[in-house]
């Protein structure tokens, strides 16, 4: 695309020539705008064609200048510019000193213009509202779950093609579990700034004041849609439609097969019941197919209406459960040999001797189904002629669940070793990004939002403190400059982050780790810091903390400053969000174990689990409150408590729910809890519906 805001005029396509000393004739030729190569010509000619227009090069109206000082950099800069704007450049085999002197003479007249052309035109034109984004993130797909990362068994031809045809950021980091990654991805900030500190029991609800990339793009007249897994709060004001998304098709909670499933759709990956713009709907097909079906239809509608779009497709696959996967693909993988000796294990950490090959086949079936849908996406973009106007991004949310091939890295999901936090990041945008280019600079989930906004030439909101920064110049290959910084990843179970508990910090070379266990709320005993030289030891096989105490001390100090900073983002920084009840935005309000606070130590999905919800009542009124029971309970004494006020009712034997009618609730914060006792078991409510 021509940067029309920089060019003083466009020249109509015509035969035109200008005589210049030392260069000869600059003649229009029959050139193809899609070409990106240099061609040798027998004559002393230099020509630029952009999108079917010829740009005049004259001393008083110079429309293309390069501020450089040698012939090699002229070729490099012009080649880069050509790739950015699909320009074909024709130049002679031998460029003499006269040409060099002439170009330098022309440059001196317009240095500032040259700078703007080179730097401004590599991003989307600010007047171009047609640059779209499709952001895809899968769930629990590890680094080794792709053909392009060395897996010789798994079938991912479309992602492999995307890797070949786009850009790979090969040293890219995410959090070790899903909700923290999602918060960082969508806000460009460390998740500890957003109140998201865990994945469940009220600690995955993102502060409603956080500004997401969807909200920024929505403010720029983009249509925004999410299709899949949100996992940052199921209720107002934390739902995706409250955080910048116009079109919403999602499941509740952290995944299908969890306590947040709608009644009658428990664990159904096929024909799931999903929330479509706040209303439960029955869908048909495997869940990943459904997300892409809706997304592709929505994209086509946006295209037909002339609206730029941001489509966020975060699948819940290949996350467990594994009982309901595409049967045809499962059959294919069951015919394959998936044993460990089929995978490269000559470097790094070998696979364990015991593994569940049936689970491996089921996981791979879901991954290949995702790949099939990515193929459908690219086919649709091609059909709609949107492939050049759409940035497609792919990543995963954390390392692989279960132990399978991960390229020799150590650890998996929930680990802060490389296998738990390294993921591929792929970018596809043919007019701007060179096919097959790779950058190994250290980047992360916090960098995606600023990068995408940079690619669209959109400034982030001034009031928002972003932790990430744009790596667009790295992705184009036009710059390798990446100012030094240290990246921190920390996540563990519990109410509040604990200093030094289950974290890593790394710079360009060194990585400091305290792998104290994601599943623990705090660590016990002495601080056991490990240090790895990732340039020499990318698989974390040799702890060199004792050899480099000064590096340990430096990185520990940097971590301390980071922890103090993110922990002081706002007053009561790690306080929990409250679910708003009684608004016109959501009725009924459905409360599930996903966002309750548990008061006993049973598994959150068990019948014995008991907990409460912190709510914010927005209107004095009478409310109907429906209490649903766990399946293990059949009737009995039902107790509903709102703060210190309780009421009871008796549910007949065999019943699965009980309705409290006309319960008075007063405006303000409240704590709501319900239990059912059938004489043999006292259980917490499975779900609660509140209707004003």
């Amino acid at each position: 695309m021509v940067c029309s805001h920089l060019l003083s005029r466009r020249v109509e396509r015509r035969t035109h020539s200008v005589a210049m000393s030392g260069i000869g004739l600059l003649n229009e030729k029959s050139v193809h705008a899609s070409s990106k190569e240099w061609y040798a010509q027998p004559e002393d000619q230099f020509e630029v064609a952009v999108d079917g227009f010829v740009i005049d090069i004259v001393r008083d109206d110079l429309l293309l200048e390069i501020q450089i000082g040698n012939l090699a950099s002229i070729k490099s800069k012009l080649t880069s510019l050509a790739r950015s704007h699909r320009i074909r450049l024709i130049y002679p085999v031998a460029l003499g000193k006269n040409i060099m002197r002439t170009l330098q003479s022309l440059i001196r007249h317009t240095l500032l213009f040259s700078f703007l052309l080179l730097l401004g035109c590599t991003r989307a034109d600010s007047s171009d509202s047609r640059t779209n984004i499709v952001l895809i993130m899968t769930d629990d797909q590890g680094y080794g779950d792709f053909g392009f990362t060395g897996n010789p068994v798994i079938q991912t031809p479309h992602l492999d093609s995307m890797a070949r045809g786009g850009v790979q950021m090969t040293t890219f980091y995410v959090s070790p579990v899903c909700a923290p990654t999602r918060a960082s991805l969508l806000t460009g900030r460390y998740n500890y700034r957003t109140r998201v500190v865990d994945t469940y029991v009220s600690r995955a609800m993102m502060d409603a004041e956080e500004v997401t990339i969807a909200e920024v793009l929505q403010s720029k007249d983009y249509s925004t849609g999410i299709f899949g897994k949100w996992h940052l709060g199921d209720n107002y004001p934390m739902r995706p439609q409250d955080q910048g998304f116009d079109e919403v098709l999602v499941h509740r909670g952290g995944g299908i097969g969890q306590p947040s499933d709608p009644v009658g759709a428990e664990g159904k990956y096929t024909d799931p019941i999903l929330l479509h713009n706040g209303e439960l709907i029955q869908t048909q097909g495997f869940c990943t197919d459904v997300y892409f079906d809706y997304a592709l239809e929505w994209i086509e509608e946006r295209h037909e209406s002339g609206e730029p779009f941001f489509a966020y497709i975060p699948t819940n696959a290949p996350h467990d459960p594994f009982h309901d996967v595409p049967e045809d693909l499962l059959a294919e993988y069951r015919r394959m040999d998936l044993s460990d000796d089929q995978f490269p294990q000559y470097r790094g950490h070998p696979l364990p001797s015991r593994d569940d090959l049936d689970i491996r086949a089921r996981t791979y079936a879901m991954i290949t189904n995702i790949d099939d849908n990515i193929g459908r996406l690219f086919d649709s973009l091609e059909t709609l002629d949107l492939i050049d106007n759409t940035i497609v991004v792919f990543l995963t949310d954390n390392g692989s669940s279960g132990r399978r091939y991960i390229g020799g890295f150590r650890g998996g999901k929930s680990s802060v070793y490389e296998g738990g936090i390294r993921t591929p990041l792929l970018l596809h945008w043919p007019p701007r990004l060179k096919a097959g280019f790779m950058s190994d600079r250290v980047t992360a989930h916090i960098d995606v939002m600023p990068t995408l906004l940079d690619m669209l030439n959109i400034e982030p909101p001034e009031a928002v403190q972003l932790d990430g920064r744009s790596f667009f110049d790295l992705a184009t290959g036009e710059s390798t400059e990446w100012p030094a910084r240290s990246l921190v990843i920390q996540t563990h179970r519990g109410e509040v982050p604990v200093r030094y508990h289950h974290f890593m910090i790394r710079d360009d070379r060194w990585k400091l780790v305290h792998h104290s266990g994601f599943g623990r709320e705090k660590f016990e005993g002495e601080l056991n810091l490990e240090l790895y030289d990732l340039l020499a030891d990318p698989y974390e096989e040799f702890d060199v903390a004792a050899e480099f105490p000064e590096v340990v001390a430096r990185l520990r100090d940097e971590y301390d400053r980071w922890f103090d900073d993110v922990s002081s983002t706002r007053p009561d920084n790690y306080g929990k969000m409250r679910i708003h009840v009684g608004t016109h935005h959501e009725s009924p309000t459905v409360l599930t174990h996903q966002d309750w606070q548990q008061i006993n130590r049973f598994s959150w999905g068990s019948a014995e689990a008991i907990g409460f919800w912190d709510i914010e009542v927005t209107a004095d009124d009478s409310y109907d409150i429906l209490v649903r029971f766990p399946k293990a309970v059949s009737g009995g004494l039902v107790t509903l408590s709102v703060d210190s006020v309780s009421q009871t009712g008796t549910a007949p034997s065999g019943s699965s729910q009980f309705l409290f009618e006309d319960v008075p609730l007063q405006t303000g914060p409240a704590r709501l809890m319900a239990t059912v006792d059938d004489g043999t078991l006292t259980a917490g409510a499975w779900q609660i519906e509140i209707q004003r």
Side-chain angles (χ1 to χ4, degrees):
M1 171 174 297
V2 178
C3 289
S4 57
H5 61 296
L6 293 178
L7 298 181
S8 60
R9 63 188 174 91
R10 291 190 176 197
V11 182
E12 297 296 334
R13 189 157 184 80
R14 65 191 186 278
T15 301
H16 182 78
S17 64
V18 180
M20 298 182 65
S21 173
I23 296 183
L25 294 180
L26 289 81
N27 296 325
E28 179 190 2
K29 300 289 183 182
S30 297
V31 296
H32 299 285
S34 61
S35 176
K36 300 180 181 180
E37 301 181 11
W38 288 73
Y39 291 86
Q41 298 293 318
E43 303 170 346
D44 243 1
Q45 298 174 354
F46 190 87
E47 180 178 70
V48 182
V50 186
D51 285 352
F53 295 95
V54 173
I55 300 175
D56 283 346
I57 302 180
V58 295
R59 197 176 290 270
D60 295 326
D61 188 17
L62 186 60
L63 301 184
L64 179 67
E65 303 90 13
I66 313 295
Q67 185 180 354
I68 46 183
N70 59 69
L71 187 59
S73 57
I74 285 180
K75 180 175 178 179
S76 173
K77 290 290 187 180
L78 286 177
T79 302
S80 175
L81 187 66
R83 286 172 177 155
S84 296
H85 299 287
R86 307 190 70 181
I87 303 169
R88 177 177 180 179
L89 301 173
I90 302 175
Y91 82 120
V93 176
L95 290 177
K97 293 181 179 179
N98 287 339
I99 297 176
M100 187 68 232
R101 284 196 295 268
T102 303
L103 287 173
Q104 289 174 333
S105 175
L106 292 169
I107 286 165
R108 281 194 290 270
H109 294 284
T110 50
L111 296 183
L112 177 60
F113 179 84
S114 171
F115 178 79
L116 290 173
L117 180 65
L118 285 174
L119 297 188
C121 288
T122 57
R123 285 141 177 82
D125 190 320
S126 60
S127 66
D128 176 20
S129 62
R130 296 303 308 144
T131 306
N132 312 298
I133 298 174
V134 178
L135 175 60
I136 305 162
M137 183 166 68
T138 59
D139 196 348
D140 286 4
Q141 186 173 3
Y143 182 88
D145 290 332
F146 308 88
F148 68 85
T149 58
N151 189 318
V153 175
I154 199 163
Q155 302 299 306
T156 55
H158 299 104
L159 283 164
D160 297 345
S161 177
M162 183 178 175
R164 291 191 302 270
V167 167
Q168 295 184 54
M169 306 303 293
T170 61
T171 314
F172 185 83
Y173 287 89
V174 293
S175 297
V177 289
C178 41
T181 289
R182 293 162 204 279
S184 294
L185 177 73
L186 293 175
T187 66
R189 288 154 58 87
Y190 284 111
N191 61 285
Y192 282 177
R193 296 193 191 279
T194 71
R195 299 194 193 273
V196 175
V197 301
D198 202 344
T199 64
Y200 69 161
V201 292
S202 80
R203 297 323 329 250
M205 293 190 288
M206 189 169 71
D207 194 301
E209 296 303 312
E210 289 295 317
V211 178
T212 69
I213 185 173
E215 289 175 291
V216 175
L217 295 177
Q218 193 179 59
S219 73
K220 301 297 182 181
D221 298 324
Y222 272 71
S223 290
T224 55
I226 176 174
F227 309 89
K229 176 174 177 175
W230 171 243
H231 199 187
L232 295 172
D234 286 340
N235 301 104
Y236 181 81
M238 296 156 289
R239 305 166 303 167
Q241 54 264 53
D242 310 318
Q243 297 295 317
F245 287 97
D246 306 316
E247 179 74 7
V248 175
L249 181 77
V250 295
H251 61 72
R252 288 199 192 113
I256 296 174
Q258 298 181 8
S260 49
D261 281 349
V263 173
E266 293 86 351
K268 293 183 64 175
Y269 272 42
T270 300
D271 301 340
I273 295 176
L274 302 173
L275 283 163
H276 184 224
N277 298 327
E279 300 293 332
L280 289 174
I281 63 167
Q282 177 68 62
T283 65
Q284 302 294 321
F286 187 70
C287 56
T288 303
D289 298 333
V290 172
Y291 304 144
F292 276 86
D293 286 344
Y294 275 76
L296 296 182
E297 181 179 355
W298 180 80
I299 286 171
E300 184 172 357
E301 291 171 353
R302 303 286 73 73
H303 173 61
E304 290 174 352
S305 63
E307 303 170 51
F309 59 81
F310 169 55
Y312 176 39
I313 312 176
T315 69
N316 53 291
H319 195 293
D320 62 355
F322 300 110
H323 68 285
D324 183 7
V325 305
E327 290 294 335
D328 56 337
L329 294 172
L330 175 60
E332 289 184 26
Y333 279 109
R334 280 179 167 167
R335 290 192 291 268
M336 298 181 187
D337 184 356
L338 302 181
S339 56
D340 289 351
D341 60 9
Q342 299 301 302
F343 300 90
Q345 299 189 66
Y346 56 88
R347 60 185 181 185
H349 300 271
L351 290 166
S353 57
R354 295 181 181 178
D355 227 338
D356 190 325
L357 299 188
D358 182 64
I359 294 298
R360 188 173 290 176
R362 291 174 179 275
T363 303
Y364 283 1
M366 286 194 279
I367 291 171
T368 296
N369 172 260
I370 292 167
D371 187 82
D372 289 344
N373 278 287
I374 289 173
R376 292 174 57 209
L377 168 70
F378 276 100
D379 287 345
S380 179
L381 294 177
E382 288 280 8
T383 299
L384 298 173
D385 197 24
L386 289 175
I387 200 73
D388 286 346
N389 294 328
T390 303
I391 301 164
V392 182
V393 185
F394 176 89
L395 73 158
T396 79
D397 66 343
N398 47 245
S400 59
S401 60
R403 195 69 171 94
R404 54 186 185 267
Y405 174 75
I406 51 173
F409 288 124
R410 183 179 182 181
K413 178 180 180 178
S414 81
S415 170
V416 287
Y417 292 126
E418 295 292 277
I421 54 180
R422 280 278 292 273
T423 173
L425 181 87
L426 306 181
L427 297 155
H428 186 272
W429 193 22
R432 303 292 193 268
L433 302 177
K434 180 183 177 182
F437 183 75
M438 298 182 184
S439 172
D440 64 357
R441 305 309 296 268
V442 178
T443 52
H445 47 19
I446 56 174
D447 300 320
V448 172
M449 174 177 169
T451 298
L452 291 176
L453 294 180
D454 189 22
M455 294 171 84
L456 297 177
N457 203 22
I458 294 175
E459 292 291 330
E462 292 183 4
V464 177
Q465 176 189 350
L466 296 181
D467 293 308
R469 62 194 187 197
S470 173
F471 55 77
F472 183 40
D473 285 344
L474 296 178
T476 62
E478 294 179 2
S479 173
T480 58
E481 294 184 7
W482 190 242
R485 69 169 179 180
S486 292
L487 176 72
V488 184
I489 300 292
Q490 179 177 3
T491 306
H492 57 79
R493 291 291 190 214
E495 297 288 310
V496 178
V498 175
R499 190 184 299 268
Y500 303 133
H501 183 23
H502 204 60
F503 83 95
M504 82 89 185
I505 180 171
R506 73 153 297 177
D507 58 21
D508 289 340
R509 175 182 178 184
W510 301 100
K511 177 179 177 180
L512 187 69
V513 184
H514 188 219
H515 199 272
S516 48
F518 168 78
R520 300 183 177 95
E521 294 189 7
K522 59 183 179 180
F523 71 92
E524 298 177 354
E526 296 183 0
L527 184 62
N528 181 25
L529 295 175
E530 304 166 46
L531 181 70
Y532 297 97
D533 181 351
L534 292 184
L535 295 184
D537 178 25
Y539 301 106
E540 299 172 296
E541 297 179 282
F542 308 103
D543 177 10
V544 294
E547 300 172 44
F548 297 94
E550 72 285 358
V551 178
V552 173
R554 173 177 63 82
L555 289 175
R556 179 174 174 173
D557 286 345
E558 290 184 25
Y559 166 82
D560 279 331
R561 289 194 296 272
W562 172 87
F563 190 86
D564 291 339
D565 178 33
V566 296
S567 298
S568 60
T569 300
R570 55 172 62 84
D572 187 26
N573 192 61
Y574 298 123
K576 301 177 181 70
M577 292 295 295
R578 289 182 176 270
I579 295 167
H580 290 204
V581 172
T583 76
H584 68 277
H585 300 286
E586 182 181 40
S587 185
T589 297
V590 179
L591 307 178
T592 76
H593 289 199
Q594 171 65 31
D595 294 327
W596 77 350
Q597 298 175 55
Q598 197 163 318
I599 62 176
N600 61 10
R601 304 298 295 182
F602 292 99
S603 168
W604 72 310
S606 71
E608 295 90 347
I610 297 175
F612 61 85
W613 292 268
D614 280 337
I615 62 174
E616 184 76 22
V617 180
T618 61
D620 293 345
D621 209 337
S622 295
Y623 295 78
D624 291 341
I625 300 179
L626 178 68
V627 180
R628 292 201 176 98
F629 313 149
K631 289 184 177 180
V633 180
S634 178
L637 180 66
V638 186
T639 302
L640 175 69
S641 301
V642 181
D643 291 331
S644 59
V645 178
S646 298
Q647 55 182 295
T648 61
T650 301
S653 177
S655 59
S656 60
Q657 60 189 38
F658 185 83
L659 177 64
F660 291 91
E661 296 182 294
D662 297 325
V663 178
L665 298 179
Q666 295 182 332
T667 302
R671 178 162 292 181
L672 188 148
M673 188 172 99
T675 60
V676 55
D677 187 343
D678 66 358
T680 62
L681 175 68
T682 299
W686 188 250
Q687 295 180 359
I688 290 180
E689 285 190 12
I690 305 174
Q691 181 85 49
R692 181 179 174 187

